[in-house]
Amino acid sequence: MTHHSAVPTDAPLSGITIVDLTRVLAGPFCTQMLADLGARVIKVEQPGQGDDARQIGPFVDGQSAYFMSVNRNKESIALDLKAPADRQVFEALLEGADVLVENFRPGTMEKLGYDWEMLHRRYPRLVFTSVSGFGQTGPYRTLPAYDMVVQAMSGIMSVTGAPDGVPARVGVSIGDMGAGLYAVIGTQSALLKRERSGLGERVDVAMLDCQVALLENPIARYSASGQVPGPIGSRHPSMTPFDVFKAADGWFVIAAGSDAVFQRLCPLLELPALLEDPRFASNAARCEHHQALKTLLEARLASASRAHWCDLLTRNGIPTGEYNTVPEIMAHPQVKARGMLTSVSTADGTILTVAGNPVRVGSHGATVRSQPPLLDQDRAAILAELGNR
């Protein structure tokens, strides 16, 4: 059962073959994005157990929903990289590959005898992408990392949550997913460079580095003001009113990013007096008196539903949006219109709804060409293909 023939030739990465040694989240999220964009991804897994994510719940028909959400459009072969016969198969796969992606701890590939120097010598066109906790260099390079570890270490956690709350992680695995996305960018950059040079490159992406990169605003703010950023709930640190507000029946957002928007907002809310109040005369003043302003706005907003306010403000060009739960956003007409939910199915045919791919290139929208693979399900087809090469 081969899948790669089903790649539409107009897919952006059609013709690119990726050998994928990654597991759990950061690496598989990277390779799924590349697969969605048309690359052929051959997932090489540990015999017997496979990707660790296969053991993480919740389970549907005995298959991990966690695994299924980041492994569509891939083939699977189980290889023991310490066994000579399996190493031969692995090396034959590398012969035909454009990219090798791995997210082991630094040093692991060297121990297996697949260090960059050796790979570059034997497969000069191969791009070798590594995603790790702390990168291939530096004093922390050999330490293990999980999403939670880098969220805490990087400072992302220090600016997340309520001002008087306990430390809170971002509600998704931004440590893993940020690294996966940056690894996609690095891999595609190396492939573009290869178009000119004919040679593959080493791509080194660290989860901690990616979290620091995502701290753009807190780092610049601290650097400019000398004040240590802390958690401030949902409001914007330097624009007001820019926050979540309570209407009669629930939460919604008002994002007044300029004086001009604020000057339009007050008459719409029938609060003209706010425009005369020196505390709210400029964005800087509003930031200083954000709590007083929020109290006055919420007193007015409590008089009607969030649908009423969202409709009124949207019609008048004020950036706003309802606060949705996961089921609400999954049912949202805009999300449906953009095809941002897709479905995969277990071997027994149970359908699981998962997040789609947001990248559209020309007419190519990512589709599910093949279901998340069972462990080693493509062995026979891959070996046959290698034998015929």
Side-chain angles (χ1 to χ4, degrees), residues 136-201:
Q136 304 297 313
T137 57
Y140 277 52
R141 64 183 282 275
T142 57
L143 299 184
Y146 279 94
D147 174 77
M148 178 72 106
V149 174
V150 296
Q151 282 206 36
M153 281 180 71
S154 66
I156 287 264
M157 220 183 254
S158 78
V159 293
T160 301
D164 42 8
V166 295
R169 70 185 275 275
V170 176
V172 295
S173 297
I174 192 76
D176 283 306
M177 295 169 76
L181 292 174
Y182 280 118
V184 169
I185 296 168
T187 300
Q188 292 185 330
S189 302
L191 287 169
L192 273 174
K193 185 174 179 198
R194 189 184 74 175
E195 290 296 305
R196 299 192 300 272
S197 69
L199 294 172
E201 277 288 358

Side-chain angles (χ1 to χ4, degrees), residues 24-25 27-29 31-33 43 51 53 65-72 74 354 372:
V24 192
L25 183 52
F29 187 62
T31 53
Q32 175 171 280
M33 174 74 77
K43 188 174 174 79
D51 183 335
Y66 183 107
F67 175 87
M68 290 176 71
S69 71
V70 287
N71 284 287
R72 61 177 172 258
K74 300 177 187 179
V354 294

Side-chain angles (χ1 to χ4, degrees), residues 141 172 207 225 273 316:
R141 64 183 282 275
V172 295
M207 288 166 69
S225 71
N316 288 280

Side-chain angles (χ1 to χ4, degrees), residues 58-176:
F59 296 95
V60 183
D61 293 343
Q63 283 177 249
S64 158
Y66 183 107
F67 175 87
M68 290 176 71
S69 71
V70 287
N71 284 287
R72 61 177 172 258
N73 295 336
K74 300 177 187 179
E75 301 161 50
S76 169
I77 185 169
L79 297 174
D80 175 359
L81 296 185
K82 293 181 179 136
D86 281 5
R87 287 173 71 91
Q88 237 175 332
V89 174
F90 180 66
E91 289 163 24
L93 285 174
L94 293 181
E95 288 286 344
D98 299 282
V99 183
L100 172 64
V101 188
E102 58 94 12
N103 64 342
F104 296 120
R105 227 186 281 184
T108 304
M109 291 297 282
E110 286 80 350
K111 277 199 198 91
L112 290 167
Y114 296 119
D115 53 275
W116 165 241
E117 287 67 30
M118 174 279 203
L119 289 171
H120 193 52
R121 202 168 51 244
R122 272 190 68 178
Y123 315 100
R125 289 179 55 76
L126 184 71
V127 169
F128 181 23
T129 297
S130 294
V131 183
S132 61
F134 302 103
Q136 304 297 313
T137 57
Y140 277 52
R141 64 183 282 275
T142 57
L143 299 184
Y146 279 94
D147 174 77
M148 178 72 106
V149 174
V150 296
Q151 282 206 36
M153 281 180 71
S154 66
I156 287 264
M157 220 183 254
S158 78
V159 293
T160 301
D164 42 8
V166 295
R169 70 185 275 275
V170 176
V172 295
S173 297
I174 192 76
D176 283 306

Side-chain angles (χ1 to χ4, degrees), residues 288-375:
E288 204 178 319
H289 300 288
H290 64 88
Q291 194 49 62
L293 179 57
K294 185 167 191 172
T295 304
L296 290 165
L297 290 174
E298 287 196 325
R300 171 79 183 112
L301 297 170
S303 66
S305 69
R306 70 179 191 167
H308 167 82
W309 296 122
C310 283
D311 179 57
L312 173 71
L313 299 185
T314 301
R315 276 187 293 122
N316 288 280
I318 309 281
T320 181
E322 65 272 29
Y323 160 89
N324 286 322
T325 60
V326 173
E328 285 166 342
I329 193 59
M330 286 174 74
H332 198 287
Q334 180 66 15
V335 169
K336 290 195 157 152
R338 296 287 291 173
M340 266 317 296
L341 295 175
T342 191
S343 47
V344 290
S345 68
T346 65
D348 295 347
T350 301
I351 300 291
L352 182 72
T353 300
V354 294
N357 188 314
V359 179
R360 284 171 181 51
V361 180
S363 61
H364 177 80
T367 50
V368 178
R369 301 186 305 274
S370 65
Q371 301 306 327
L374 296 171
L375 177 59

